[in-house]
């Protein structure tokens, strides 16, 4: 029998009573925005949690060599559509350990969690979504978003009552937040939106809202929140604000200075994506001048649309790329200290937006390393502790995420700051980034040495107490 030196060392330490952790992460540059820790440390993980962070030598049954790499809390994405094994895999390769669908959400929270109860690759959670609830109450035939009465028919007082009741039910079933998207439900009048916000205010639940475009859209959402005392989270300020990004960030900053609970998020791309049949596209482009249709691109072919192709693809349905923002405004949104990084991941039937696979690595590669527009610690803060804090009041379990500290969940992303960068493009949106080396969810590697580990499901439900 051959006994190697490491094994002898292990035996010796066991005799001395030194703990042996499930896994150790050795020699990495540990960066924790919550505590400010920014130094080389060893980590020991046990039972899915961080057991020790130390300069001392530590022993584990399994070792991750993190020398030369940054060890950060796993990234938390507040806005990710898809929520399928395929999108969880894409997101894990981008460093995401918790993926939450808080804008569209679902109309049936209990069923949504039940479908995932065997575990997923990364942690997951959902909101009770006004859009989805309205589709159910108004019997809309759309699959992803409303295309009929869910978008275009005013609700009766009885239907508004039903909508509010279903939202309350979703909250009782543990929804993380309330989702809403006013441009997708243009017939939802102020009474109806107020009923939704009243539930939010009464239960202190944040409403994650896709606002109507521009300053007027933000004023409307702020007024609803003020009137009802509802916490407000404005999704993708970049694509809702466009050229008004600086002034709308200022409005959010002012609201916060006056004590209002308002937060926002952004994704680092100048083009958006949504369903061509949705009200938000149809209302703008159905009667737009022909030249404006060239803002739209059809993903399967990469062609910019004209009147004829717009009508043709609108009959078929599917996602369309929308080029309406400038890189300059995206940079304003991404670098503002107010914004959380959230992908708005979007993927369906084998195609989607590159933000699904590249949001977090793009911020680290392009905005931090290449243009020095953000410090690495500040970028990590926007991906970890900021999104965790947004949800903590309603979901206390989020206090154990987004941080590297003893007792926290062992959700950890380890990357090479010298090479990390996205590769996906609008034409090839499924390319995984480079430089994200190890991604650990509840102590288990879902990405090892830059490759996805398959057939594992350590991800758990993120859910409000029921
Ligand atoms: Zn979205």
């Amino acid at each position: 029998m051959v006994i190697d030196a490491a094994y002898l060392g292990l035996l010796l330490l066991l005799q001395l009573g030194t703990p042996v952790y499930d896994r150790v992460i050795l020699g990495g540059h540990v960066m924790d925005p919550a505590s400010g820790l920014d130094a080389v440390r060893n980590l020991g993980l046990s039972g899915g949690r961080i057991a020790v962070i130390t300069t001392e030598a530590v022993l584990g049954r399994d070792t991750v060599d993190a020398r030369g790499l940054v060890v950060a809390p796993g990234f938390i994405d507040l806005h990710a559509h898809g929520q399928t094994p395929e999108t969880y895999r894409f997101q894990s390769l981008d460093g995401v350990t918790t993926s939450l669908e808080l804008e569209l959400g679902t109309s049936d929270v209990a069923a949504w969690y039940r479908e995932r109860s065997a575990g997923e690759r990364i942690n997951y959670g959902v909101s009770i979504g006004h859009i989805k609830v309205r589709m159910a109450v108004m019997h809309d035939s759309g699959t992803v978003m409303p295309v009929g009465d869910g978008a275009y028919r005013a609700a009766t007082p009885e239907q508004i009552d039903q909508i509010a009741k279903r939202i309350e039910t979703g909250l009782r079933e543990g929804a993380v937040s309330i989702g809403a998207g006013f441009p997708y439900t243009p017939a939802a009048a102020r009474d109806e939106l107020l009923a939704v916000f009243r539930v939010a205010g009464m239960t202190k639940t944040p409403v994650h809202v896709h606002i109507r475009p521009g300053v007027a859209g933000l004023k409307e959402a702020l007024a609803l929140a003020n009137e009802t005392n509802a916490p407000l989270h404005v999704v993708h300020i970049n694509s809702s604000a466009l050229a008004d990004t600086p002034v709308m960030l200022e409005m959010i900053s002012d609201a916060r200075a006056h004590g209002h609970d308002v937060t926002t998020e952004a994704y680092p791309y100048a083009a958006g994506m949504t369903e061509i049949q949705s009200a938000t596209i149809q209302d703008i482009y159905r009667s737009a001048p022909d030249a404006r249709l060239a803002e739209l691109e059809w993903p399967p072919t990469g062609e910019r649309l004209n009147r004829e192709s717009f009508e043709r693809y609108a009959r078929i349905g599917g996602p369309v790329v929308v080029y309406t923002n400038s890189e300059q405004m995206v940079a304003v949104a991404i670098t503002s200290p107010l914004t959380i990084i959230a992908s708005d991941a979007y993927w369906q039937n084998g195609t989607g937006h590159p933000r699904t696979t590249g949001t977090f690595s793009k911020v680290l590669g392009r905005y931090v390393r290449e243009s020095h527009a953000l410090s690495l610690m500040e970028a990590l803060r926007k991906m970890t502790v900021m999104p965790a804090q947004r949800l903590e009041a309603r979901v206390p379990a989020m206090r154990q995420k987004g941080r590297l500290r003893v007792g926290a969940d062992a959700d950890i992303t380890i990357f090479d700051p010298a090479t990390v960068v996205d590769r996906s493009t609008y034409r090839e949106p499924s390319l995984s980034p480079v430089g994200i080396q190890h991604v650990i969810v509840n102590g288990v590697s879902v990405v090892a040495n830059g490759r996805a580990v398959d057939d594992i499901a350590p991800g758990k439900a993120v859910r409000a107490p029921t």
Side-chain angles (χ1 to χ4, degrees):
M1 183 180 178
V2 180
I3 296 177
D4 65 19
Y7 184 66
L8 276 176
L10 181 65
L11 284 178
L12 187 68
L13 286 164
L14 280 171
Q15 278 178 344
L16 294 171
T18 305
V20 178
Y21 300 101
D22 291 349
R23 316 189 72 184
V24 290
I25 300 167
L26 300 183
H29 178 176
V30 175
M31 296 186 74
D32 177 47
S35 65
L37 178 62
D38 185 5
V40 172
R41 291 285 186 274
N42 298 319
L43 269 71
L45 316 181
S46 277
R49 294 181 181 267
I50 297 172
V52 69
I53 302 174
T54 180
T55 53
E56 310 280 306
V58 287
L59 267 183
R61 280 179 278 278
D62 178 73
T63 298
V64 177
D65 179 2
R67 284 174 298 176
L69 305 176
V70 167
V71 177
F75 306 152
I76 298 168
D77 191 349
L78 296 182
H79 188 160
H81 306 297
Q83 299 284 322
T84 62
E86 186 182 30
T87 56
Y88 292 139
R89 190 176 194 279
F90 282 145
Q91 291 210 277
S92 68
L93 287 160
D94 197 29
V96 174
T97 54
T98 298
S99 174
L100 306 168
E101 157 61 283
L102 302 185
E103 179 213 46
L104 274 172
T106 180
S107 61
D108 188 340
V109 171
W112 194 93
Y113 281 107
R114 211 180 306 122
E115 283 161 20
R116 292 163 180 78
S117 57
E120 295 290 346
R121 179 177 190 82
I122 57 178
N123 304 308
Y124 53 89
V126 77
S127 67
I128 178 74
H130 170 251
I131 299 172
K132 296 285 194 184
V133 164
R134 191 173 211 277
M135 286 172 76
V137 169
M138 307 298 283
H139 306 289
D140 191 280
S141 65
T143 47
V144 185
M145 288 161 186
V147 294
D149 287 357
Y152 301 112
R153 192 184 184 90
T156 63
E158 293 72 32
Q159 286 167 328
I160 292 177
D161 204 45
Q162 270 186 57
I163 289 170
K165 287 220 163 65
R166 283 196 188 218
I167 289 174
E168 287 170 12
T169 301
L171 293 179
R172 272 197 302 276
E173 291 171 349
V176 170
S177 63
I178 297 172
F182 302 166
Y184 295 108
T185 55
R190 193 160 201 279
D191 276 8
E192 179 179 335
L193 301 179
L194 211 46
V196 175
F197 272 68
R198 264 194 216 106
V199 177
M202 244 126 58
T203 55
K204 293 274 162 282
T205 305
V207 199
H208 288 235
V209 190
H210 179 151
I211 61 173
R212 278 184 250 271
V215 170
L218 181 55
K219 278 191 178 150
E220 175 189 32
L222 287 170
L224 288 163
N226 284 349
E227 207 165 316
T228 55
N229 239 334
L232 176 68
H233 179 79
V234 178
V235 305
H236 51 50
I237 192 75
N238 53 300
S239 60
S240 291
L242 303 177
D244 287 331
T245 300
V247 51
M248 288 169 67
L249 285 168
E250 198 65 42
M251 288 166 68
I252 291 172
S253 180
D254 287 349
R256 290 171 62 85
H258 286 93
H260 298 291
D261 182 1
V262 186
T263 53
T264 191
E265 61 174 55
Y267 62 81
Y269 294 83
M273 177 176 274
T274 193
E275 291 293 301
I276 193 168
Q277 292 177 341
S278 70
T280 187
I281 292 293
Q282 290 298 319
D283 287 358
I284 293 170
Y285 293 99
R286 196 172 32 209
S287 49
D290 286 11
R292 196 156 169 215
L293 289 169
E295 288 175 3
L296 304 177
E297 183 180 286
W298 189 244
T301 59
E303 72 193 282
R304 293 298 181 108
L305 300 191
N306 56 39
R307 181 57 53 195
E308 181 277 322
S309 53
F310 177 76
E311 309 282 350
R312 183 156 41 90
Y313 292 132
R315 280 194 294 276
I316 299 168
V320 69
V321 183
V322 187
Y323 287 92
T324 44
N325 209 357
S326 67
E327 289 297 343
Q328 192 198 351
M329 286 300 117
V330 176
V332 169
I334 292 297
T335 57
S336 162
L338 289 175
T339 52
I340 291 165
I341 304 300
S343 71
D344 197 7
Y346 197 103
W347 198 266
Q348 258 183 302
N349 306 322
T351 189
H353 192 292
R355 67 196 182 204
T356 312
T357 52
T359 288
F360 294 87
S361 47
K362 182 170 184 178
V363 171
L364 296 173
R366 315 280 176 200
Y367 290 87
V368 175
R369 186 181 60 250
E370 290 177 8
S371 68
H372 303 285
L374 272 176
S375 74
L376 182 50
M377 190 65 98
E378 183 61 11
L380 292 174
R381 195 172 75 83
K382 291 165 165 282
M383 302 171 178
T384 60
V385 70
M386 276 177 78
Q389 283 171 336
R390 166 72 285 185
L391 304 177
E392 279 168 18
R394 177 159 170 82
V395 185
M398 290 307 291
R399 297 196 185 117
Q400 304 308 332
K401 295 201 180 295
R403 289 99 168 156
L404 295 179
R405 67 161 182 236
V406 172
D409 296 338
D411 294 342
I412 299 169
T413 294
I414 302 172
F415 61 93
D416 182 352
T419 61
V420 64
V421 81
D422 63 301
R423 288 195 304 148
S424 273
T425 63
Y426 296 99
R427 299 296 303 122
E428 284 190 283
S430 66
L431 302 177
S432 52
V434 293
I436 308 268
Q437 290 300 103
H438 302 278
V439 180
I440 296 170
V441 175
N442 296 308
V444 176
S445 284
V446 298
V447 173
N449 300 307
R451 301 238 163 123
V453 180
D454 288 315
D455 303 319
I456 40 152
K460 295 179 187 167
V462 169
R463 196 167 179 171
T466 51

